[in-house]
Amino acid sequence: MTPADTADELEIRTGDDVVRVRQLVRLKATAVKLSLVDQTKLVTAASELARNTLVHGGAGRAHVEVVESDGRRGVRARFSDSGPGIADVEQALSDGYTTGTGLGLGLGGSRRLVDEFDLTSALGQGTTVTVVKWTR
Ligand SMILES: Nc1ncnc2c1ncn2[C@@H]1O[C@H](COP(=O)(O)OP(=O)(O)OP(=O)(O)O)[C@@H](O)[C@H]1O
Ligand SMILES: [Mg+2]
C-alpha cells in the first residue's frame, strides 16, 4: 500500500478505526521521511486525539495529509467531531485534567509531541484539533 492508495479521510466510530488512523498517519509520516522518532511522536499524538474524538466526541473524522512549506514536508492530521465541545480549553490542556476515566494526559501530551497544535471547540457544536509534524 502506498500513500497514494490511501484515503485521506477516515471515520472514527470504533476502536478499530483508531487503529486505522494510526496506520494511516504512520504511512504518511514514512512517505515524507520523518525520522523514526518523529514518526512515533506524531502517531502517538494522533492516537490520543483519535481516542478523544471517539470517547469524548462520540464519533468523528480524521483527515490526514502531506503538506509542504518552504521546501519542507510534513504531515497534518485533523480530528473533528460534532460532540459536546470543551468548555475551558486551557483547563482541558492541563495535565491531569479529565472529565472521564483517563489520566488527563492526552491533550497536553499530544501538544508537546508535535510542531503545530491548534484546538478549536464550541460548546454544543464540537471540537477540531489539528496537528502538524515537519521534517527537519
Ligand atoms: N473531542 C473532545 N470533545 C469533548 N471534550 C474533549 C475532547 N477531547 C478532550 N476533551 C476534554 O478534555 C479533557 C482532557 O483530555 P485528555 O485527552 O487530556 O484526557 P482524557 O482523555 O480525559 O484522558 P487520557 O487521554 O489521559 O486517557 C477530557 O477529559 C475531556 O473533558
Ligand atoms: Mg484523551
Side-chain angles (χ1 to χ4, degrees):
M1 200 164 57
T2 70
D5 296 330
T6 60
D8 290 342
E9 184 103 11
L10 290 177
E11 294 206 8
I12 303 174
R13 299 189 178 286
T14 67
D16 283 354
D17 293 335
V18 175
V19 174
R20 279 189 272 276
V21 170
R22 289 178 69 99
Q23 291 168 341
L24 178 61
V25 170
R26 174 75 70 178
L27 196 68
K28 304 266 187 198
T30 310
V32 303
K33 297 193 167 62
L34 282 183
S35 72
L36 196 54
V37 168
D38 284 346
Q39 285 178 36
T40 301
K41 286 180 177 176
L42 180 64
V43 169
T44 302
S47 185
E48 288 295 330
L49 297 172
R51 192 149 288 286
N52 279 353
T53 299
L54 180 63
V55 171
H56 304 296
R61 312 183 71 76
H63 185 261
V64 186
E65 64 184 338
V66 170
V67 288
E68 188 162 352
S69 174
D70 294 331
R72 272 194 319 173
R73 295 212 289 172
V75 177
R76 177 192 291 143
R78 175 176 294 132
F79 301 85
S80 54
D81 63 66
S82 304
I86 299 174
D88 185 335
V89 169
E90 275 315 306
Q91 186 181 46
L93 277 162
S94 63
D95 288 341
Y97 176 80
T98 179
T99 56
T101 55
L103 295 173
L105 294 174
L107 273 183
S110 297
R111 179 161 65 168
R112 289 190 290 271
L113 289 171
V114 296
D115 296 322
E116 294 177 28
F117 182 99
D118 181 75
L119 195 167
T120 313
S121 189
L123 269 187
Q125 290 180 40
T127 300
T128 298
V129 185
T130 306
V131 297
V132 184
K133 193 82 182 166
W134 295 104
T135 52
R136 41 198 88 245

